[in-house]
Amino acid sequence: MFSLKDKKIVLGISGGIASYKSAILARRLIDAGAEVRVIMTSGAQAFITPLTLQALTGNPVHTDLLDTAAEAAMGHIELARWADHILIAPASANLLARLANGFADDLLTTVCLASEASLFLAPAMNRVMWQNLAVQNNARKLLERGATMFGPDEGVQACGETGAGRMLEPEAIRDMLIDKLGIEPGDNRQTILTKPLSTSATESSAANQPSAYATHHRSLHGLNIVITAGPTVEPIDPVRFISNRSSGKMGFAIASAAIKQGASVTLITGPVALQTPGLVKRIDVESARDMHKAVLDNIPKADIFISVAAVADYRIDQIAEEKIKKSDPGMTLQLVRNPDILASVAAMPERPFCVGFAAETQSVEEYARGKLDKKKLDMIAANHVGQAGDPVFGSDNNSLDVYWANEGHHHIAPAQKKQVAAELLDIISERLTESRH
Ligand code: PMT
């Protein structure tokens, strides 16, 4: 019993150094039972030969739109009709641009246009290219048209830079495809993950290791998630403000993990020095009231609201128009309460699944559960802050205790915030599914 049995997959390979991984991906898909036909762009052929893919798949590799012999064997329309799914890995910036704009200037883009098959894209490019607004807009356009994006992954790139842009490992792509097609993994997935390739010279032993993503079997595909992150800033006068130590790292890590799990993410953030994760729609705000407005504007389309921001509970009652002079020996600032953004969303009649955060220095469970009940949340994630050697605020690491009704509890062990974020999303996904039954 193979997870991709009888699935007809066109594997598109565009130009990029990551195309060497596509040979392993082809084998992984075949190992999982899929029938694979490969289309390579001219760019891809500069990195890897069609012969390699032909040997691995046992089928002729398609490269030219205007090749009469190839067209006579299996024409591009026939190939487009044959495919149940088209998976393009790597998908270069150029390929995304051509697809997003409906080009049909080579075999791969033409088959995509002519096919009713579902489209899956595993982008791979330099991190600055991936961040470029033009690339982000193209990727977003394709998502809006129903394509599914796998990755990109973060880490060291072939160009020597570090960031988001690497193609996901073949095993992770195969597992995400299996998830998206709604196939129950069964026991054979573990078998596939550990099964060595018999022949490929390009494969390293690391390629057989399941990546972090490969262990996630839940999906947020198609869900809209609104996340708040970072601190809010409450002005005193034109040069001074009150704020807090939140760096935004936890909220940004959740946004990034949610994109990887297939969600559409709106990230509303106070002032932070962080790069926007790819495909995330970011809205910058300063004060709690700005954040409240941005949340209310975006909440109607949200399935899930995750309130990670450290929102100032109070603001200055009267903001001085001019810089306050230090004429008196002391001064008193009159503060007034800010709106509780999370509680206001949770009180809506048509509300999304609401997840709060709590940063507590003591009695963590008691205070966190108190907020869960008082704000009428579906779930709360508590971090124990203020402990020696465990800063949480500004740190790359965290651990969480997640609470929900009826004594529900899950401990997320200390790890990098991006791993903690992925685990938290798995719990949210599970609880959301339960709440809908
Ligand atoms: O940004 P980092 O440096 O990575 O740090 C992450 C974090 C510690 C800030 C984060 O993990 C966290 O715990 N955020 C919540 C901080 C907090 O203590 O919140 P709170 O107890 O004041 O509020 C409880 C919940 O209500 C939170 O979800 C908060 O976003 C929300 N809230 C609070 C006040 C308010 N006026 N509006 C709100 O929406």
Side-chain angles (χ1 to χ4, degrees):
M1 164 75 186
F2 294 105
S3 304
L4 293 173
K5 188 166 179 338
D6 297 334
K7 300 285 176 204
K8 296 191 178 87
I9 299 175
V10 163
L11 174 61
I13 307 177
S14 65
I17 182 59
S19 55
Y20 81 93
K21 294 186 190 174
S22 310
I24 301 168
L25 176 59
R27 277 301 298 264
R28 294 288 178 250
L29 297 174
I30 291 167
D31 287 346
E35 228 184 294
V36 177
R37 299 260 173 182
V38 175
I39 301 178
M40 295 176 76
T41 66
S42 56
Q45 293 167 64
F47 291 91
I48 180 169
T49 69
L51 193 60
T52 307
L53 273 304
Q54 184 172 310
L56 287 169
T57 61
N59 286 316
V61 170
H62 305 259
T63 53
D64 292 314
L65 182 57
L66 305 174
D67 178 331
T68 44
E71 280 291 298
M74 192 187 218
H76 66 276
I77 296 294
E78 215 179 320
L79 198 54
R81 284 190 193 134
W82 175 86
D84 296 323
H85 312 287
I86 300 176
L87 166 64
I88 305 182
S92 65
N94 180 278
L95 197 272
L96 294 181
R98 290 189 293 128
L99 283 181
N101 290 290
F103 279 35
D105 56 351
D106 67 0
L107 183 62
L108 183 53
T109 48
T110 305
V111 166
C112 287
L113 271 191
S115 181
E116 288 174 339
S118 48
L119 179 61
F120 300 89
L121 302 161
M125 66 200 73
N126 164 273
R127 65 171 184 92
V128 182
M129 286 172 81
W130 174 245
Q131 284 294 332
N132 190 294
L133 207 54
V135 176
Q136 290 289 305
N137 285 340
N138 289 332
R140 205 168 286 131
K141 250 192 224 174
L142 289 163
L143 282 177
E144 281 163 12
R145 270 188 237 146
T148 299
M149 217 58 80
F150 294 152
D153 201 358
E154 288 172 31
V156 181
Q157 301 200 271
C159 57
E161 296 184 15
T162 303
R166 283 163 57 103
M167 189 171 99
L168 286 168
E169 293 304 323
E171 292 74 15
I173 296 175
R174 176 206 55 206
D175 285 355
M176 286 177 155
L177 186 66
I178 291 171
D179 276 351
K180 295 294 181 237
L181 300 184
I183 301 162
E184 283 300 322
D187 287 336
N188 72 314
R189 182 180 315 207
Q190 286 309 318
T191 315
I192 295 163
L193 284 169
T194 52
K195 187 171 152 191
L197 271 188
S198 51
T199 47
S200 172
T202 51
E203 189 179 359
S204 71
S205 59
N208 272 328
Q209 299 302 315
S211 80
Y213 308 109
T215 61
H216 296 145
H217 298 153
R218 292 184 201 295
S219 169
L220 298 170
H221 184 61
L223 296 180
N224 282 305
I225 306 187
V226 172
I227 300 170
T228 62
T232 61
V233 160
E234 308 298 330
I236 298 170
D237 67 14
V239 296
R240 302 179 181 95
F241 58 82
I242 49 175
S243 188
N244 60 64
R245 293 180 189 281
S246 172
S247 64
K249 285 181 182 175
M250 193 65 242
F252 276 58
I254 295 171
S256 172
I259 288 287
K260 282 175 185 148
Q261 293 188 26
S264 297
V265 177
T266 303
L267 178 62
I268 300 165
T269 179
V272 295
L274 296 174
Q275 257 198 355
T276 316
L279 297 177
V280 164
K281 180 183 162 202
R282 171 174 173 165
I283 300 171
D284 287 287
V285 296
E286 298 234 323
S287 69
R289 284 192 294 177
D290 296 341
M291 186 174 271
H292 193 200
K293 181 176 180 316
V295 167
L296 293 183
D297 287 347
N298 285 279
I299 226 61
K301 64 174 195 311
D303 300 292
I304 301 172
F305 176 46
I306 311 178
S307 183
V308 195
V311 185
D313 289 318
Y314 295 90
R315 67 176 184 277
I316 312 300
D317 191 17
Q318 298 290 335
I319 303 167
E321 280 181 18
E322 305 297 338
K323 185 180 170 190
I324 300 170
K325 296 293 173 198
K326 47 178 183 291
S327 48
D328 295 333
M331 72 176 294
T332 304
L333 290 173
Q334 181 69 36
L335 304 178
V336 290
R337 281 296 289 267
N338 267 329
D340 190 313
I341 303 168
L342 177 57
S344 73
V345 172
M348 290 174 171
E350 301 271 308
R351 64 179 233 175
F353 187 89
C354 289
V355 182
F357 264 71
E360 306 294 348
T361 55
Q362 55 173 326
S363 309
V364 176
E365 175 162 5
E366 185 190 334
Y367 289 144
R369 284 201 182 275
K371 287 174 188 174
L372 178 77
D373 293 342
K374 188 160 169 247
K375 300 194 188 208
K376 300 193 170 26
L377 308 179
D378 295 292
M379 182 183 282
I380 194 154
N383 15 224
H384 199 171
V385 297
Q387 304 198 88
D390 183 10
V392 181
F393 283 96
S395 164
D396 289 332
N397 302 313
N398 201 4
S399 70
L400 292 173
D401 278 286
V402 187
Y403 302 105
W404 58 93
N406 303 322
E407 299 304 306
H409 173 232
H410 180 92
H411 175 68
I412 302 180
Q416 288 197 327
K417 280 181 176 165
K418 64 178 180 185
Q419 280 152 1
V420 170
E423 198 169 332
L424 175 66
L425 289 175
D426 278 352
I427 305 167
I428 292 174
S429 174
E430 188 181 82
R431 300 303 316 153
L432 178 65
T433 310
E434 293 259 312
S435 74
R436 284 176 172 176
H437 284 143

